[in-house]
Amino acid sequence: MARLTWHGHSTFTLETDSGHRVMFDPFLDENPKSDIQVADVQELDFILVSHGHFDHFQDAIPLAKKTGATLISTFEIVGFCQENGLENVHPLHIGGGNHFAFGYAKMTPALHGGQVDGDEEGAFTTVPGGWWLDMPGKTLYHAGDTALLMEMQLLKGKVDVALLPIGDNFTMGPEDAARAVEFIEPRVVIPMHYSTWEPIEQDPNEFRDRVAGLAEVVILDPGDSYNF
Ligand code: NI
Ligand code: MN
């Protein structure tokens, strides 16, 4: 049984069947909805960063340094991390994946901004992505920050649990996220990237109503876990 815990926004900890701890898009200390802080995280094996915006990346380097976790992201973000003293890294790019100890992780396309938080010169600006994880007996899709994409149709039938942004304003809103569910046909969908701040305030029940019949919608509170 894998355990997926939401920390608000797009930050999740995945404890895999193989016993590895994988964190997506660490944003804890300045995340008003997070249930934990960087100081609370003791063990982490991998950190997956979808893109460089502060609300997905801000705590990634401190957590990687603290825990020794391997940071996986685009070539440019990994380069920025190396410039900032991180050694345990693995670069990927959109459409490419690699087998890691917890399973296969592939970067999926996302349509969004590519600026990297802390990169004053813009030298590491990159293409944002998402994640498709293929682990023994189960698959997971973390969409990152993105608009609705036709490319999501390529994931049809390949996703057990989909983590989709519903906040609108900077990403898909509930209507387009429900469209994404039509494209992907996941078994379960968990909404993310909403109600962290006023501009992305959403009622996840409205999203649940839109998705009705297409997939099971699991609405988490920060600190809640979903087992699959
Ligand atoms: Ni973003
Ligand atoms: Mn974001």
Side-chain angles (χ1 to χ4, degrees), residues 29-224:
D29 286 358
E30 291 186 27
N31 175 355
K33 295 294 166 74
S34 182
D35 59 311
I36 55 170
Q37 302 283 288
V38 169
D40 299 321
V41 181
Q42 306 305 334
E43 286 179 61
L44 217 49
D45 300 299
F46 296 91
I47 297 171
L48 273 52
V49 177
S50 68
H51 67 294
H53 287 164
F54 75 98
D55 56 322
H56 300 258
F57 181 53
Q58 197 166 61
D59 293 326
I61 293 176
L63 273 172
K65 286 183 176 171
K66 176 183 176 180
T67 63
T70 301
L71 189 147
I72 310 170
S73 190
T74 63
F75 183 83
E76 292 80 12
I77 288 175
V78 161
F80 178 78
C81 292
Q82 288 173 310
E83 285 268 312
N84 285 275
L86 203 60
E87 291 174 4
N88 206 2
V89 293
H90 187 105
L92 292 175
H93 233 302
I94 310 300
N98 186 62
H99 290 280
F100 297 97
F102 61 90
Y104 183 76
K106 179 180 183 177
M107 286 207 87
T108 57
L111 190 55
H112 190 64
Q115 179 254 347
V116 176
D117 184 53
D119 174 21
E120 306 298 340
E121 312 287 321
F124 297 93
T125 299
T126 187
V127 177
W131 297 100
W132 181 70
L133 269 50
D134 188 7
M135 300 166 288
K138 60 198 68 172
T139 51
L140 176 77
Y141 173 51
H142 184 300
D145 277 3
T146 185
L148 178 66
L149 284 177
M150 294 297 280
E151 282 80 354
M152 289 172 180
Q153 295 182 9
L154 298 172
L155 294 169
K156 183 174 173 175
K158 296 181 150 199
V159 176
D160 293 318
V161 178
L163 314 177
L164 301 180
I166 67 159
D168 217 343
N169 199 87
F170 299 114
T171 68
M172 296 190 286
E175 185 175 357
D176 281 356
R179 219 50 219 292
V181 174
E182 285 179 32
F183 287 175
I184 300 164
E185 298 184 2
R187 186 167 56 77
V188 169
V189 57
I190 300 175
M192 64 175 182
H193 209 272
Y194 68 94
S195 298
T196 316
W197 304 285
E198 192 278 327
I200 58 170
E201 197 72 40
Q202 293 292 337
D203 178 358
N205 293 299
E206 186 208 328
F207 172 68
R208 174 186 269 156
D209 292 344
R210 287 180 183 275
V211 171
L214 296 173
E216 180 189 351
V217 177
V218 173
I219 296 171
L220 300 176
D221 287 321
D224 283 356

